[in-house]
C-alpha cells in the first residue's frame, strides 16, 4: 500500500546544487523516521541523512555542512537539499521511511531510487 516516490535527481556540475524530494502515498500513518541513503557502483548503501518526526537530524560525515534534510509531517514528504556537490556524491539516492504499520508492525519502506550524477 505504502509507496515512496523520489524526484529531483539529475546531472549537475561540481559545485552545483540539487534538491531531492520523496513523497509517501497509500498509507494512513506518519513515519517515525525518514531519510536518504545512497549507493554507488561497487559500494555498500550508506546513510546520507535522516530526520525524526520531531525534526532531529543526522548526517553522514561526508555530507555534513553541504546537505540539508527536511520533512513535512502533514504531507509525509522528505526533502534533501544538496549543495556544493562533488563527483563522489554520484550515486543512486534512495528514500527510506520507517514507522509503525497497523498490519505489519514496525516497517521500513524504500523508494525506487533516483540517479544523481556530478561530473564536469
Amino acid at each position: 500500500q505504502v509507496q515512496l516516490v523520489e524526484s529531483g535527481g539529475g546531472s549537475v556540475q561540481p559545485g552545483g546544487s540539487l534538491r531531492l524530494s520523496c513523497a509517501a502515498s497509500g498509507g494512513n500513518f506518519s513515519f517515525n523516521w525518514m531519510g536518504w541513503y545512497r549507493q554507488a557502483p561497487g559500494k555498500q548503501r550508506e546513510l546520507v541523512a535522516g530526520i525524526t518526526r520531531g525534526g532531529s537530524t543526522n548526517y553522514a560525515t561526508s555530507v555534513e555542512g553541504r546537505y540539508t534534510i527536511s520533512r513535512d509531517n502533514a504531507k509525509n514528504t522528505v526533502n534533501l537539499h544538496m549543495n556544493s556537490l562533488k563527483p563522489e556524491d554520484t550515486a543512486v539516492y534512495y528514500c527510506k521511511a520507517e514507522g509503525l504499520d497497523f498490519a505489519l508492525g514496525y516497517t521500513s519502506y524504500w523508494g525506487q531510487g533516483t540517479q544523481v550524477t556530478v561530473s564536469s
Side-chain angles (χ1 to χ4, degrees):
Q1 291 291 320
V2 174
Q3 289 186 316
L4 306 180
V5 179
E6 301 102 332
S7 61
S11 298
V12 297
Q13 293 185 332
S17 299
L18 206 61
R19 188 188 75 174
L20 305 183
S21 296
C22 174
S25 63
N28 63 342
F29 67 95
S30 62
F31 300 103
N32 295 338
W33 183 94
M34 302 183 76
W36 292 89
Y37 289 74
R38 68 184 181 187
Q39 187 167 25
K43 296 184 178 181
Q44 290 188 329
R45 187 172 300 184
E46 64 174 347
L47 175 65
V48 176
I51 184 168
T52 67
R53 188 194 307 272
S56 178
T57 61
N58 66 288
Y59 298 91
T61 302
S62 59
V63 307
E64 185 77 46
R66 299 188 298 117
Y67 289 14
T68 301
I69 189 170
S70 61
R71 65 182 289 175
D72 185 330
N73 293 333
K75 297 190 295 185
N76 283 333
T77 299
V78 62
N79 301 309
L80 186 68
H81 297 262
M82 304 182 294
N83 301 310
S84 301
L85 285 164
K86 306 174 181 179
E88 50 263 45
D89 293 320
T90 296
V92 177
Y93 284 69
Y94 296 91
C95 176
K96 184 184 181 184
E98 300 177 354
L100 186 62
D101 185 271
F102 291 112
L104 302 177
Y106 200 79
T107 306
S108 297
Y109 300 93
W110 290 91
Q112 81 286 349
T114 184
Q115 178 71 46
V116 172
T117 302
V118 185
S119 65
S120 59

